[in-house]
Every structure is written in C-alpha cells, then in structure tokens.
Amino acid sequence: MSASYIPKDVYAICTFQTDAEPRQFIDTRQEPTVFYGQDKKRPLLTIEDRNIRDKEFPCKSPKNAMWSFLCFGAGILVGLALLSNPVGWVIAAGVGIAALSVAAGVYHSTKINHLCTGSLENGSWKIEHLTVKFDKKNAITQNSMLSCDAGGILTPIFSYSVAKKYAAQIESNNSKEIGFNAAASLFGGAGFAIFAGEAVMAAGATGLGKVALWMGGTMLLMNEGTYWEREGIRNTSLQDNPHYQDMNDKVDENGRMPGYFKDPLNATPGDLASPDILELNEKGGLASRDGKTPFFFNGKWYVQDWQKNFIEIKQGTALSKDLSVLEGINSREVWKTPEGKAIVENIRNGKYSDSLIKTAKDGAGVVRPKYLPNLAKELPGLKVQNIKNMGKLGVKGAGFIGFFFPFVATYFSEDSRKALANAMAEDAGNGINVIAHNV
C-alpha cells in the first residue's frame, strides 16, 4: 500500500481532543535537510518530529479527571447530608475526602491545555516507513500514527474539511464520555459516603473494611467488563478499514491491566463505578438491595428502608395536615375531640406510615391520644429523616443505573478511535507528489 510522506503543517487530529478544531504537525528535529517545495520551509517529517503548531489540544485525560474528582467530591457532600445522624468525626472525614477530591479536580483543570507538548515528546510514531530515512530517522507517512504518552492517538490528515469533520465527531464522543464518567463519579461519591458512613457507625473498622473490599471488587469487575466490551467492538467494527486494524494490532492493543495499576496517579473516581448494589443490614453487614424498590398499596406509594420501616413517599403530608387541628389543645383533652378520635382511628387503620407514628404508641404498642400533640412536635424531624431516606433510595436507584455508565463511556471512547480510522481512510486520496512505496 502506497502512502504520501508528511510535510510540516499537515493537519492533525487526536482521539483525546475535546474541541472540534484540527491542529498542524511541525518539525522538532534539529537542522532538517529534507524539504517539500523549493522554498525549503516545510521539512518532511520523521519519527523524531512529535509536536503540533501554536496551541495544545484540550485533552480528554485531564478534563475527564477534573470532572470525575469534582463530581466525586460533590457526591460525598450529598451522601453526608443524607446520612442519619452521623457522628462528628464521620462528617469531618467525609468533608476532608471531599475537599481533597475537589482539590484534585482543580489541579487537573490546570493541565487540560498543557499536556500535549510533554506527552507528545514522550510518545512515539507507529507504522513509520521502515526503509526510507530523512536525516537518518525513519520517515512517517499517511499510514503513521503518533501514540501520545497521555493515551491519545494522533494522525496526519491533508484535507482540512476531512480533519474538521472527524475532529467534530471525536469532540462529541469525548464530551459524552466525560459526562457519563462524571455522573458515575457523582453517584459513586454519594454512595461511598452513605455506605462508608453507615458501615463505620454500625460496625466500626470491620464495616469499613467490607466496604473497601466491595469497592476493590467492583473496580476489578468494571475493568474486566470494559475489557471485553472493547474486545467485542474492535473485533466486529470496520473490518475493511486497514487503518483501524493497524490501530488495534500495532498502535493501541486492548489490555486487561487497569491503567491505574500502571500509573496509580492516573486513577479517577469513575474507576470505582457506583457503590449501590450492596448495602448495610441491621447488624452493619452488607446485604442485597431486595425490597428497596417503591411499591404501591392501598392507593399510596411506599418504600422500606434498611431498618424495616415502611415510609410513605408523600413524607407524611396527610398526617401533618390532620395533626394541625390539634394545635393549642391540652394533651389531656385530645381524646375528647372528634379530630383526636379520628386521628387515633386512622393510625389504628394504617393510614400513616409506621415510621411516622411510633411515638404515638405506649410500651405495649397501643395508640394513646394524649401522645398526639407530642407527635405533632416531632413530625417535622421525622419528615426530614424520611426525606433523607428517600434521598438515599434515589442515590441507590440512580447509582444502580450509574453502574453501567462506564460501559457507555467506553462505547464513546471506542467510537473516537473509529472516527480517527475513518478520517485516515477518507483522506487516503490526498497527499503530496512524493510517494513512499512498500510501507
């Protein structure tokens, strides 16, 4: 297969770019002697030339890390707010972790436009010309790809319209990938705070150890699942595109080892997935989510929390309205009023959620009208707790969906690789008159 050599200023697109504008390759080797054109302003590039003109690509890697850490920190604060009466040091630890996560996000935000030069210089060209050398270095061609140290793949494109078209596709894919990873991190942070906080309060270090083991297992599960997802996509896509096959076989082979094993500092909260499949039981151990979905009964929606309380989704609005008529009535006289009698009857008939009316009963479980005014005073706090329970249910339910977000993000990541290969195929008819053969 023949392919054109690459002169300086040919357009570049990258699988990690997060804007829709191509850049241009430049020469970086010292004193080039082989040029395209009589003006000797455009050296023919070699494997030693690994940089782009004027400004960096905004890179997916630090942008993904930035939003993952920021959302993880925000999620932790949401989770802490939903915890039931957490002890002070649990709150302090959670706030500390959230602050560190936000600081990490801010740090990565400073790297978005500053990774290209260093990462490209530490990268390497693949599929270079094996026999033709310029200035004693192997020449690169239209078939060559530059593997960036940050993880992206760049390729030369002669046509600006082709480069612009596929740069826009890559930008769209990467923005969606970052969004799904950010959402997974948000739910992951909230779930982490809830489960870790409840585990520590219920079972101390043992409970926290169980959560840590669960999170480690989840990370390995996610890594294995996304490995096979990538494998399936690469084995079934663009079978007639030689650039895509070269990318998979010679440039960016699918690997099972997680990136955070090779470089722990490259780990992001999105690697945790979302800790919502397991939760604490009454003894502080981890149990299944069975019984946590809302159910409809007698005209109302209810949920059951991990303490076995049935909670009306309306948060006790009906009980608040009924109790309001007892304001100013002496507790000893409540049993004489028709309103008090009606509320007692409603309680006995199960109109209100059990968790809302516990203090209206005596030690034998019998409803006492004289307790109703006290119940009215306690109801706002109970309603807040029920709101927290509903919030925790929402985190767990949304987190269950968020568990699959990394798989969706992987799909968009792979789609960016396919866009790069399609750009190379569409640009194959372009080039310069100097042609390299037998690449």
Side-chain angles (χ1 to χ4, degrees):
M1 179 173 62
S2 62
S4 172
Y5 293 120
I6 305 300
K8 175 185 177 182
D9 294 337
V10 166
Y11 295 106
I13 59 176
C14 176
T15 55
F16 273 26
Q17 69 183 90
T18 56
D19 70 353
E21 190 61 35
R23 302 298 191 267
Q24 292 173 285
F25 284 112
I26 60 173
D27 61 300
T28 56
R29 69 187 190 272
Q30 294 183 351
E31 299 181 1
T33 62
V34 183
F35 299 88
Y36 171 67
Q38 297 298 319
D39 57 6
K40 294 186 178 183
K41 292 183 178 180
R42 300 182 67 187
L44 293 176
L45 303 184
T46 73
I47 59 173
E48 287 295 293
D49 302 308
R50 300 186 300 274
N51 211 339
I52 53 177
R53 176 185 291 282
D54 297 331
K55 67 176 184 177
E56 319 274 359
F57 280 118
C59 184
K60 176 181 79 174
S61 179
K63 186 173 286 190
N64 182 57
M66 177 191 74
W67 284 113
S68 291
F69 279 109
L70 291 178
C71 289
F72 187 73
I76 288 177
L77 296 179
V78 170
L80 289 175
L82 295 175
L83 279 174
S84 304
N85 301 319
V87 295
W89 60 269
V90 169
I91 295 178
V95 171
I97 296 173
L100 289 174
S101 186
V102 170
V106 172
Y107 166 77
H108 283 287
S109 71
T110 66
K111 301 297 180 181
I112 292 172
N113 292 316
H114 300 280
L115 275 185
C116 274
T117 296
S119 297
L120 289 178
E121 290 176 351
N122 291 327
S124 60
W125 281 100
K126 309 292 183 182
I127 318 175
E128 71 273 22
H129 202 294
L130 298 179
T131 57
V132 175
K133 298 178 184 291
F134 301 142
D135 300 321
K136 300 181 180 180
K137 300 296 180 181
N138 291 78
I140 61 170
T141 73
Q142 277 179 301
N143 296 331
S144 301
M145 300 179 212
L146 176 56
S147 180
C148 174
D149 191 52
I153 302 170
L154 293 81
T155 193
I157 301 293
F158 279 90
S159 167
Y160 175 77
S161 62
V162 172
K164 178 72 173 178
K165 170 184 172 182
Y166 288 100
Q169 290 185 20
I170 291 172
E171 183 275 332
S172 177
N173 285 329
N174 288 338
S175 295
K176 292 171 185 174
E177 177 189 351
I178 291 169
F180 278 104
N181 282 330
S185 296
L186 178 66
F187 294 128
F192 170 77
I194 290 171
F195 288 108
E198 291 184 345
V200 172
M201 289 185 289
T206 301
L208 188 60
K210 290 180 180 180
V211 173
L213 288 173
W214 179 89
M215 292 172 64
T218 301
M219 292 172 69
L220 293 176
L221 175 65
M222 290 301 306
N223 181 73
E224 186 69 10
T226 52
Y227 166 82
W228 286 109
E229 180 186 8
R230 290 192 300 270
E231 194 74 2
I233 292 172
R234 297 181 185 188
N235 287 338
T236 57
S237 302
L238 304 184
Q239 298 296 315
D240 58 347
N241 186 319
H243 306 292
Y244 186 65
Q245 304 309 319
D246 283 344
M247 188 186 304
N248 295 334
D249 298 336
K250 302 176 183 178
V251 180
D252 181 33
E253 295 183 31
N254 190 20
R256 184 175 269 112
M257 180 178 290
Y260 49 80
F261 279 5
K262 303 175 185 177
D263 182 8
L265 296 179
N266 197 37
T268 67
D271 297 321
L272 298 176
S274 186
D276 62 350
I277 295 178
L278 302 177
E279 65 176 32
L280 294 172
N281 58 25
E282 299 93 325
K283 297 180 180 179
L286 295 175
S288 70
R289 294 182 67 253
D290 294 343
K292 302 304 179 292
T293 54
F295 61 93
F296 190 74
F297 177 74
N298 196 26
K300 300 172 188 166
W301 284 98
Y302 293 87
V303 294
Q304 185 180 16
D305 66 16
W306 67 278
Q307 294 175 318
K308 306 299 184 184
N309 291 324
F310 290 95
I311 305 167
E312 184 185 349
I313 290 181
K314 289 185 178 180
Q315 311 299 336
T317 302
L319 180 57
S320 293
K321 182 179 179 181
D322 292 345
L323 288 171
S324 65
V325 301
L326 300 181
E327 292 181 5
I329 298 177
N330 188 294
S331 61
R332 296 179 181 179
E333 302 296 321
V334 168
W335 66 275
K336 297 178 182 180
T337 66
E339 294 85 0
K341 293 177 181 178
I343 294 172
V344 170
E345 193 64 25
N346 287 336
I347 291 175
R348 290 171 176 170
N349 291 334
K351 177 181 178 181
Y352 314 115
S353 303
D354 183 65
S355 61
L356 296 175
I357 47 86
K358 285 182 176 181
T359 56
K361 298 178 180 179
D362 61 15
V366 178
V367 178
R368 299 297 183 186
K370 66 180 181 179
Y371 294 152
L372 294 182
N374 291 332
L375 178 62
K377 296 176 182 178
E378 297 171 357
L379 188 60
L382 290 170
K383 289 170 65 177
V384 169
Q385 183 55 53
N386 286 339
I387 291 173
K388 288 185 177 183
N389 289 338
M390 289 302 300
K392 288 192 288 185
L393 181 77
V395 168
K396 295 166 186 175
F400 179 75
I401 299 173
F403 179 83
F404 298 98
F405 282 3
F407 292 98
V408 181
T410 297
Y411 168 82
F412 287 115
S413 177
E414 289 298 306
D415 214 43
S416 292
R417 297 172 77 259
K418 289 191 283 185
L420 190 82
N422 283 329
M424 296 178 72
E426 191 169 328
D427 193 57
N430 301 312
I432 57 177
N433 292 330
V434 180
I435 300 295
H437 294 281
N438 301 319
V439 177

